[in-house]
Amino acid sequence: MDDVLTTQDDAFSSFHPALTFFYFLAIIGCSMFVMHPAVLTASLVGGVSYSWYLTRGASQRGLITMMLSAMVLPALINPLFNHAGATVLFRLWWGAPVTLEAVAFGLCTGCMLASVVAWFACYRVVMTSDKTIYLFGKAVPALSLVFSMTLQFVPRFMTQFKRVLNAQRCMGRDVIHGTLRERTSTAAKTILIMATWALEGSIQTADSMRSRGYGLRGRTSYSPYRFDLRDRMAAAVVLVLVGLITYGLWSGGLEMSFFPMINAAAPCASSAAACGAFAVLCMFPLIVDGADEVRWRYLRSKI
């Protein structure tokens, strides 16, 4: 995930950390546990669009590769091993049936995984380590610190790994070329260098946090976050949308089953309201950014 998303000025990211955390919790939770095709499609489109907006389309190759893998693999593997379903499309060469229900379930599962990957990529940019520590530092200081360090460790580790590989290559050592013994030796040295770097970094971080008194009782810290009127208005909108989605789930408007036959809840007012509310919720960051851009251009025109 290195260099998948880069930090950009984003109006939605300027909201209070509690609001943005609740937003991602609602989006990712619905994407993981609601298998309705309309919900999954809205989640995938919203996640990809927002991640694209955050980077202005740059450095998306790693994210796109991961999303395609998450979508294609379940869609291909599930029909090979899951033969449940009443509608047989064809049979494989060993006689196992490939059913429409298994294919549809695999496609929905792949769409769900891809959308979750996209939203977690957005979460990584919006919910920075300082926001995570602000939200959970007082309640669970050790856990919040570990979680924050984990989010930062993966991209830092990949960047350092590339530097080590380039340095080894400049010295005439390569894990691709050469004999098996030479490649094995180079790989072992690279792993040893990375392990040493990671251990040294963890020791330095632990000493630094201990010297700052992190986790001690009575310790205070500066916080630039205030839940102002703008946050309250956005929170009210998000809560209304989540309420409509919850009502749709409670009334059964978003029920979807694949086996033994594909069966979806009949369209009704609650299902339409829930799907519409979820679509708006998925596009909410882009709506906020669009409104902020229009307001900024209007103010500039008045100068």
Side-chain angles (χ1 to χ4, degrees), residues 44 58 69 124:
L44 182 60
S69 301
R124 176 189 145 192

Side-chain angles (χ1 to χ4, degrees), residues 115-268:
S115 62
V116 169
V117 169
W119 282 113
F120 266 113
C122 299
Y123 178 92
R124 176 189 145 192
V125 176
V126 176
M127 290 298 297
T128 56
S129 58
D130 58 320
K131 294 181 180 180
T132 303
I133 293 178
Y134 167 77
L135 288 177
F136 305 105
K138 293 182 179 180
V140 280
L143 182 61
S144 63
L145 177 61
V146 170
F147 183 69
S148 156
M149 292 175 61
T150 302
L151 292 178
Q152 291 184 337
F153 178 76
V154 175
R156 287 181 57 204
F157 185 89
M158 296 303 299
T159 302
Q160 183 67 17
F161 183 67
K162 291 179 181 179
R163 292 175 181 172
V164 173
L165 286 180
N166 292 332
Q168 294 288 327
R169 191 175 295 113
C170 292
M171 297 171 60
R173 303 170 183 171
D174 200 338
V175 295
I176 300 177
H177 305 93
T179 63
L180 179 61
R181 181 177 180 181
E182 292 174 346
R183 286 182 293 169
T184 304
S185 176
T186 302
K189 291 179 180 179
T190 303
I191 294 174
L192 180 61
I193 292 172
M194 293 305 303
T196 304
W197 173 83
L199 290 174
E200 289 180 352
S202 62
I203 293 174
Q204 292 175 0
T205 302
D207 292 339
S208 176
M209 298 304 293
R210 188 180 297 109
S211 65
R212 288 174 169 84
Y214 185 80
L216 294 180
R217 181 176 299 178
R219 174 181 177 269
T220 61
S221 59
Y222 168 74
S223 172
Y225 306 112
R226 296 292 182 271
F227 206 85
D228 54 16
L229 177 61
R230 177 171 172 266
D231 295 312
R232 289 194 289 270
M233 294 175 60
V237 174
V238 171
L239 287 175
V240 170
L241 295 175
V242 172
L244 291 174
I245 298 169
T246 304
Y247 177 73
L249 292 172
W250 176 77
S251 62
L254 297 179
E255 288 185 357
M256 184 76 185
S257 60
F258 295 89
F259 305 103
M261 296 184 66
I262 298 177
N263 184 23
C268 59

